[in-house]
Amino acid sequence: MTDSLAYLAKKLVNPFVGKDHKEMNDLIDSFMEKTKIDEIYSEHIRKGAFLAQDSDAFDDLRDDGLQLKQEERAALIMEDPKRGNKWNQPWILYALVGCCSLGAAVQGWDEVSKLLSYPSAPNRR
């Protein structure tokens, strides 16, 4: 793969690649203005954008004063596949997965019973 194709592939995966601090802030300000999101969420959106650009963005002290709170750092560690616990999820997520699984099983039973009940149906798959 040529260098330009590699850069394009990387850019498609992460559109913030190669942007400097000023460009990132301009993009964030533009996004905030376009979407009319309240200013109280500005800090969260800025942190998220810089984390999306580089997952190590808050490892060192920053010039702009943005810092992650302790609970934000803990949440990021939990999301990290190398350091976190992927099974430590809210119970409602497990309940949702179980409910959707039961729904899929019922749908499968329903389709099978129709096929068995009407073997000569014209629209049978």
mmCIF file of all heavy atoms in Angstrom, residues 90-102:
data_model
loop_
_atom_site.group_PDB
_atom_site.id
_atom_site.type_symbol
_atom_site.label_atom_id
_atom_site.label_comp_id
_atom_site.label_asym_id
_atom_site.label_seq_id
_atom_site.Cartn_x
_atom_site.Cartn_y
_atom_site.Cartn_z
ATOM 1 N N PRO A 90 -23.240 -3.045 33.288
ATOM 2 C CA PRO A 90 -24.474 -2.875 34.069
ATOM 3 C C PRO A 90 -25.393 -4.091 33.887
ATOM 4 O O PRO A 90 -25.467 -4.665 32.793
ATOM 5 C CB PRO A 90 -25.121 -1.624 33.479
ATOM 6 C CG PRO A 90 -24.083 -0.978 32.645
ATOM 7 C CD PRO A 90 -23.058 -2.001 32.306
ATOM 8 N N TRP A 91 -26.113 -4.463 34.931
ATOM 9 C CA TRP A 91 -26.977 -5.645 34.867
ATOM 10 C C TRP A 91 -28.050 -5.490 33.809
ATOM 11 O O TRP A 91 -28.476 -6.462 33.195
ATOM 12 C CB TRP A 91 -27.612 -5.939 36.232
ATOM 13 C CG TRP A 91 -28.663 -4.941 36.610
ATOM 14 C CD1 TRP A 91 -28.500 -3.787 37.295
ATOM 15 C CD2 TRP A 91 -30.057 -5.017 36.276
ATOM 16 N NE1 TRP A 91 -29.687 -3.125 37.410
ATOM 17 C CE2 TRP A 91 -30.672 -3.860 36.795
ATOM 18 C CE3 TRP A 91 -30.836 -5.931 35.593
ATOM 19 C CZ2 TRP A 91 -32.021 -3.602 36.661
ATOM 20 C CZ3 TRP A 91 -32.195 -5.674 35.452
ATOM 21 C CH2 TRP A 91 -32.780 -4.521 35.985
ATOM 22 N N ILE A 92 -28.485 -4.257 33.544
ATOM 23 C CA ILE A 92 -29.547 -4.039 32.556
ATOM 24 C C ILE A 92 -29.082 -4.449 31.155
ATOM 25 O O ILE A 92 -29.884 -4.886 30.334
ATOM 26 C CB ILE A 92 -30.044 -2.571 32.597
ATOM 27 C CG1 ILE A 92 -31.365 -2.393 31.844
ATOM 28 C CG2 ILE A 92 -29.036 -1.623 32.044
ATOM 29 C CD1 ILE A 92 -32.547 -2.851 32.608
ATOM 30 N N LEU A 93 -27.784 -4.341 30.897
ATOM 31 C CA LEU A 93 -27.256 -4.771 29.602
ATOM 32 C C LEU A 93 -27.409 -6.278 29.441
ATOM 33 O O LEU A 93 -27.811 -6.771 28.393
ATOM 34 C CB LEU A 93 -25.793 -4.360 29.457
ATOM 35 C CG LEU A 93 -25.105 -4.772 28.162
ATOM 36 C CD1 LEU A 93 -25.765 -4.113 26.964
ATOM 37 C CD2 LEU A 93 -23.639 -4.425 28.205
ATOM 38 N N TYR A 94 -27.092 -7.025 30.505
ATOM 39 C CA TYR A 94 -27.256 -8.480 30.452
ATOM 40 C C TYR A 94 -28.730 -8.851 30.308
ATOM 41 O O TYR A 94 -29.080 -9.794 29.600
ATOM 42 C CB TYR A 94 -26.643 -9.129 31.695
ATOM 43 C CG TYR A 94 -25.147 -8.999 31.737
ATOM 44 C CD1 TYR A 94 -24.535 -8.179 32.675
ATOM 45 C CD2 TYR A 94 -24.345 -9.680 30.838
ATOM 46 C CE1 TYR A 94 -23.153 -8.054 32.714
ATOM 47 C CE2 TYR A 94 -22.968 -9.549 30.873
ATOM 48 C CZ TYR A 94 -22.384 -8.742 31.812
ATOM 49 O OH TYR A 94 -21.025 -8.618 31.842
ATOM 50 N N ALA A 95 -29.619 -8.115 30.983
ATOM 51 C CA ALA A 95 -31.054 -8.357 30.861
ATOM 52 C C ALA A 95 -31.519 -8.104 29.428
ATOM 53 O O ALA A 95 -32.322 -8.870 28.868
ATOM 54 C CB ALA A 95 -31.821 -7.473 31.842
ATOM 55 N N LEU A 96 -31.004 -7.050 28.807
ATOM 56 C CA LEU A 96 -31.360 -6.734 27.424
ATOM 57 C C LEU A 96 -30.896 -7.826 26.470
ATOM 58 O O LEU A 96 -31.648 -8.248 25.584
ATOM 59 C CB LEU A 96 -30.746 -5.392 27.023
ATOM 60 C CG LEU A 96 -30.967 -4.951 25.578
ATOM 61 C CD1 LEU A 96 -32.444 -4.655 25.343
ATOM 62 C CD2 LEU A 96 -30.123 -3.737 25.264
ATOM 63 N N VAL A 97 -29.672 -8.296 26.653
ATOM 64 C CA VAL A 97 -29.149 -9.368 25.804
ATOM 65 C C VAL A 97 -29.997 -10.623 25.956
ATOM 66 O O VAL A 97 -30.353 -11.288 24.981
ATOM 67 C CB VAL A 97 -27.663 -9.644 26.124
ATOM 68 C CG1 VAL A 97 -27.184 -10.922 25.457
ATOM 69 C CG2 VAL A 97 -26.800 -8.469 25.689
ATOM 70 N N GLY A 98 -30.349 -10.959 27.193
ATOM 71 C CA GLY A 98 -31.190 -12.132 27.434
ATOM 72 C C GLY A 98 -32.556 -11.991 26.794
ATOM 73 O O GLY A 98 -33.066 -12.921 26.157
ATOM 74 N N CYS A 99 -33.159 -10.823 26.920
ATOM 75 C CA CYS A 99 -34.481 -10.573 26.343
ATOM 76 C C CYS A 99 -34.438 -10.664 24.816
ATOM 77 O O CYS A 99 -35.303 -11.285 24.196
ATOM 78 C CB CYS A 99 -34.971 -9.201 26.790
ATOM 79 S SG CYS A 99 -36.639 -8.811 26.286
ATOM 80 N N CYS A 100 -33.426 -10.071 24.210
ATOM 81 C CA CYS A 100 -33.296 -10.124 22.748
ATOM 82 C C CYS A 100 -33.037 -11.554 22.274
ATOM 83 O O CYS A 100 -33.551 -11.964 21.230
ATOM 84 C CB CYS A 100 -32.171 -9.195 22.283
ATOM 85 S SG CYS A 100 -32.555 -7.458 22.496
ATOM 86 N N SER A 101 -32.284 -12.324 23.049
ATOM 87 C CA SER A 101 -32.018 -13.711 22.693
ATOM 88 C C SER A 101 -33.300 -14.533 22.729
ATOM 89 O O SER A 101 -33.549 -15.353 21.834
ATOM 90 C CB SER A 101 -30.986 -14.326 23.643
ATOM 91 O OG SER A 101 -29.785 -13.626 23.571
ATOM 92 N N LEU A 102 -34.110 -14.317 23.749
ATOM 93 C CA LEU A 102 -35.392 -15.025 23.821
ATOM 94 C C LEU A 102 -36.296 -14.633 22.661
ATOM 95 O O LEU A 102 -36.979 -15.477 22.072
ATOM 96 C CB LEU A 102 -36.089 -14.728 25.152
ATOM 97 C CG LEU A 102 -35.492 -15.403 26.375
ATOM 98 C CD1 LEU A 102 -36.162 -14.890 27.639
ATOM 99 C CD2 LEU A 102 -35.628 -16.904 26.269
#
